[in-house]
């Protein structure tokens, strides 16, 4: 099962899309079901993970601020 969506968030005065995906990995722990990355993701860029789409987005935003 894989569901994808995108949302736009302001960053540094511009708009950069956040791409989210419900990856539902085959593990019994559900806290890693969603991930969030910026459009144009490249290896090494921050990735947010969470049990919900919003948790993944929040973690990505926190990672970008640190």
């Amino acid at each position: 099962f894989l569901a994808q969506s995108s949302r736009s968030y302001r960053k540094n005065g511009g708009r950069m899309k956040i791409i989210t995906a419900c990856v539902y990995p085959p593990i019994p722990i559900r806290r890693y079901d969603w991930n969030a990355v910026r459009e144009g993701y490249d290896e090494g860029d921050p990735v947010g993970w969470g049990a919900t789409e919003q948790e993944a987005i929040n973690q990505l935003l926190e990672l970008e601020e640190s």
Side-chain angles (χ1 to χ4, degrees):
F1 174 74
L2 176 66
Q4 284 191 306
S5 65
S6 66
R7 297 182 181 197
S8 295
Y9 287 84
R10 289 194 183 280
K11 181 180 179 190
N12 300 330
R15 289 185 76 78
M16 296 176 65
K17 283 187 180 176
I18 292 178
I19 308 300
T20 59
C22 181
V23 293
Y24 201 74
I27 59 175
I29 301 167
R30 299 281 51 105
R31 67 177 171 236
Y32 302 109
D33 283 358
W34 285 88
N35 71 28
V37 296
R38 288 290 177 177
E39 187 174 48
Y41 169 82
D42 196 12
E43 187 175 334
D45 289 348
V47 178
W49 290 95
T52 65
E53 182 180 37
Q54 191 59 53
E55 284 180 14
I57 291 168
N58 291 346
Q59 185 184 51
L60 174 64
L61 295 173
E62 289 172 12
L63 290 170
E64 289 178 341
E65 290 177 2
S66 59

